[in-house]
Amino acid sequence: VSFVALITGVLIGPYYGFCAMALSDFIIAFLVPQGPWSPILTLSNGLIAFFSGSIVNYIIPGLTEDRSIKGNILYNLMIILSGIAAFAVCSQLLTNMALVLPPLNYYGGLYYAAFLKRIAGQSVVWSINVALSAVFLTFAKATFLKNNVFGESLNIFKGETTVLKRTVALSIAGFIILAVVITFIILKFAAGVI
């Protein structure tokens, strides 16, 4: 989820990225229940997209259009910075909090136990996700973004095109939901449940 959230935030902006990720997490929790639902986890998934979109698109405006080597290096550094911010706040703070509070109530309610148990594995997973996001977004910047296909910072979403932003956000949320539901059905079929 973090890979998709990082990319979503950068491509469609922080606000609509947040909406797409939070909405998809909320709907998936009810379509494909995998235990109790926690609103903190939904907030965490939305904030990953918000952080990546805010940091990459707004800390240094115009990075998406800059084709120089310095611009590409700064663009990748902003992606890495957004990944670190999302890892610290969303994965380590919010997700660990969701795991120890009701309704999940794992780790006996001990926050430090959740933190110590998850920090090593999550550090590796997040490093891979941030690296993949940087590679994908750098490729997207070199190919799609120069043709103004995606990106709030490229001004294709200016003016009266709020409907377009909403459509893209809902499409991403729908795609995520569809992918999870199909995967769930395939896994149930493979297990012989269906």
Side-chain angles (χ1 to χ4, degrees):
V1 171
S2 55
F3 171 71
V4 174
L6 287 166
I7 291 172
T8 301
V10 172
L11 292 181
I12 66 172
Y15 308 113
Y16 289 99
F18 176 88
C19 292
M21 294 310 299
L23 179 67
S24 64
D25 186 70
F26 180 75
I27 292 173
I28 286 170
F30 294 103
L31 285 180
V32 186
Q34 299 173 351
W37 172 73
S38 172
I40 299 173
L41 291 176
T42 299
L43 175 67
S44 177
N45 286 333
L47 284 177
I48 295 170
F50 182 80
F51 282 133
S52 66
S54 298
I55 291 172
V56 173
N57 290 328
Y58 298 121
I59 285 189
I60 303 175
L63 267 182
T64 324
E65 294 91 0
D66 190 354
R67 301 278 179 250
S68 68
I69 293 174
K70 179 184 175 188
N72 286 330
I73 291 171
L74 282 174
Y75 185 71
N76 283 311
L77 286 175
M78 290 298 109
I79 293 169
I80 292 168
L81 179 64
S82 70
I84 292 170
F87 172 73
V89 174
C90 299
S91 179
Q92 293 308 306
L93 180 68
L94 290 175
T95 302
N96 286 342
M97 186 185 307
L99 291 174
V100 298
L101 294 174
L104 301 179
N105 216 16
Y106 298 129
Y107 303 106
L110 301 173
Y111 182 83
Y112 68 88
F115 178 80
L116 293 175
K117 177 103 174 164
R118 296 182 72 244
I119 185 85
Q122 287 297 308
S123 297
V124 172
V125 169
W126 269 88
S127 299
I128 293 168
N129 284 327
V130 170
L132 289 173
S133 298
V135 168
F136 177 83
L137 289 168
T138 302
F139 172 75
K141 177 183 174 185
T143 55
F144 304 118
L145 297 179
K146 69 180 178 187
N147 297 323
N148 291 347
V149 176
F150 298 109
E152 187 172 52
S153 63
L154 297 177
N155 296 325
I156 64 159
F157 289 137
K158 64 182 175 183
E160 299 296 323
T161 58
T162 305
V163 173
L164 179 62
K165 278 186 176 182
R166 290 180 185 153
T167 304
V168 171
L170 289 174
S171 298
I172 291 171
F175 175 75
I176 294 168
I177 293 164
L178 183 65
V180 169
V181 169
I182 289 171
T183 304
F184 183 74
I185 291 170
I186 290 170
L187 291 175
K188 289 290 187 181
F189 183 74
V193 176
I194 296 178

